[in-house]
Amino acid sequence: MKFPVDLLADVSQVELEQSAHNYMNILLYSNPDSAEHLTLSDSTKVTIDISRVSLIPLYGNNDKQRILVLFSPTDLFTVVALYLLDQWWTVEDILKTADPARHGVVEVVTVGERIVLYILNRVIYRAKEMSSEEDLPFLCHGEKDYAKIHWNNGEAVGFFSVKPSGSLCNSLSTRSYQLPVMDSIFVRKCHRGKGFGLQMLQDFVLSFKEEYLGLRYPLTKAMYKVCKKYLSQYPGETDLLWEVESVGGPNQRTNIASKIQTMDLSDVSRHLSFLEESLVTEMTENDVVMEAITTQIKEAGSMECTVEIVEEVTVRRDTDIKS
């Protein structure tokens, strides 16, 4: 079975949107008593009617290129399927491929791959897996943005995108990036801990030959760990990776290797402080115990002396009486 990313290799965005408009016209005048249904991966049946579908921008604020989506019956902000090639496809199926050649880190080129990138970023990451504590939402990827998807065993497991050196900061700015900057990277939760993040960082390094490479500030703890693994494998590249703010000018970047070293020293310092506090606490507790023992000994000694004195007085009194 082929999936959308396999079937859309030679299909244009214009064809997709025209097909979506035609379908919406049919849906608008269809009999609600004979509505279509779509079964999701969790066996939930979703009724397809005009109130649950919408055309949304594929590339952020660009309203000229849109895709038709179906929203969840329980959450009108959660996309559960897309209308592509004259049929509905669940989010799970859109992230699959039947092409064995689509494996590893692959550059996004076709409309089908752009749709997979959209699902990974806007539906999987932002709507389902983004942590409220540390993660930040990524911007929508543009039609021409440089991005790659990591494919493994017929499934899209993550992606990263890059602002090449010289590209504009945004559509409203004349400032351009001073170095290539990885501005987003994501691995699905069910595929973490398998080295995919490190593989994408390695691909980023191999894809750009500049002297310095940037990663968008602020880096998450997970990304610091990925960078640490990379630098442990390539210790001679400590000057390569930089945490970058804005366009990455000389005063807008921090060396990641130095920052990791500082973080490691800070962890060691905190560990030593903890050990010192534990040792002081232990010594204090020992002092308290020793003081209690000393007090008991002193009290016991005083009791013995008192007994001896009392006994002596008693003996003398007996002697005096007898005399």
Side-chain angles (χ1 to χ4, degrees):
M1 174 184 175
K2 289 188 176 182
F3 298 95
V5 72
D6 308 314
L7 300 169
L8 292 170
D10 299 317
V11 178
S12 69
Q13 174 64 34
V14 175
E15 292 175 275
L16 280 180
E17 191 164 349
Q18 185 59 54
S19 172
H21 278 292
N22 294 338
Y23 177 79
M24 286 192 72
N25 288 331
I26 295 172
L27 192 61
L28 183 61
Y29 298 104
S30 63
N31 184 354
D33 295 329
S34 57
E36 291 182 75
H37 293 84
L38 178 69
T39 303
L40 305 180
S41 58
D42 60 359
S43 299
T44 300
K45 282 190 175 182
V46 182
T47 301
I48 302 171
D49 59 48
I50 197 67
S51 66
R52 289 205 180 108
V53 303
S54 179
L55 283 165
I56 62 173
L58 178 59
Y59 303 119
N61 296 325
N62 185 353
D63 288 334
K64 295 181 180 179
Q65 296 172 299
R66 299 178 296 175
I67 50 177
L68 184 60
V69 302
L70 175 67
F71 292 103
S72 166
T74 58
D75 183 359
L76 294 179
F77 295 98
T78 300
V79 174
V80 295
L82 271 63
Y83 188 79
L84 307 166
L85 301 167
D86 300 324
Q87 72 176 82
W88 287 102
W89 297 84
T90 64
V91 165
E92 290 77 11
D93 283 342
I94 292 171
L95 297 178
K96 295 177 181 178
T97 180
D99 184 359
R102 189 174 279 108
H103 183 77
V105 185
V106 179
E107 187 173 351
V108 174
V109 178
T110 68
V111 172
E113 290 166 337
R114 290 284 168 191
I115 290 172
V116 172
L117 181 64
Y118 174 89
I119 293 295
L120 286 171
N121 181 14
R122 305 290 291 182
V123 178
I124 303 299
Y125 172 66
R126 179 173 287 200
K128 296 182 178 181
E129 298 188 4
M130 187 173 73
S131 168
S132 59
E133 297 179 358
E134 188 179 13
D135 294 337
L136 296 174
F138 301 137
L139 296 176
C140 290
H141 295 100
E143 183 182 5
K144 302 297 183 182
D145 281 359
Y146 182 97
K148 290 189 174 184
I149 295 171
H150 200 317
W151 296 89
N152 184 68
N153 291 331
E155 192 173 359
V157 301
F159 72 87
F160 74 91
S161 60
V162 179
K163 298 296 187 210
S165 177
S167 60
L168 293 178
C169 185
N170 57 61
S171 59
L172 303 176
S173 174
T174 58
R175 297 186 304 161
S176 58
Y177 285 94
Q178 303 297 300
L179 71 169
V181 177
M182 179 190 282
D183 63 340
S184 68
I185 181 170
F186 168 66
V187 177
R188 296 166 63 187
K189 285 185 177 180
C190 59
H191 294 285
R192 292 178 187 176
K194 301 175 183 178
F196 295 134
L198 179 59
Q199 290 170 24
M200 287 192 283
L201 179 59
Q202 290 171 329
D203 187 272
F204 169 53
V205 172
L206 293 173
S207 299
F208 294 88
K209 305 304 179 184
E210 281 84 346
E211 184 179 1
Y212 304 118
L213 300 177
L215 285 80
R216 170 72 65 195
Y217 170 90
L219 266 64
T220 62
K221 292 179 182 178
M223 197 59 209
Y224 276 121
K225 290 180 181 179
V226 171
C227 291
K228 186 175 181 179
K229 287 180 181 178
Y230 178 84
L231 292 169
S232 67
Q233 291 186 14
Y234 306 97
E237 297 188 355
T238 54
D239 291 331
L240 178 65
L241 302 177
W242 297 75
E243 188 173 16
V244 167
E245 297 183 61
S246 187
V247 296
N251 298 323
Q252 297 173 321
R253 59 181 82 163
T254 304
N255 182 266
I256 291 177
S258 298
K259 196 164 183 178
I260 289 173
Q261 186 177 22
T262 301
M263 292 166 66
D264 287 345
L265 289 174
S266 178
D267 289 340
V268 170
S269 178
R270 281 196 297 269
H271 182 64
L272 290 175
S273 297
F274 173 76
L275 291 177
E276 185 178 353
E277 289 176 4
S278 300
L279 183 61
V280 169
T281 302
E282 186 178 350
M283 290 177 64
T284 303
E285 290 176 350
N286 289 339
D287 290 343
V288 170
V289 172
M290 290 301 296
E291 184 177 351
I293 294 172
T294 303
T295 301
Q296 290 177 359
I297 292 173
K298 287 181 179 180
E299 289 177 351
S302 299
M303 289 175 64
E304 290 177 1
C305 292
T306 302
V307 171
E308 289 177 0
I309 292 171
V310 171
E311 287 178 349
E312 185 178 352
V313 170
T314 303
V315 171
R316 286 183 179 181
R317 282 182 179 177
D318 289 342
T319 305
D320 290 343
I321 292 171
K322 290 179 181 179
S323 300

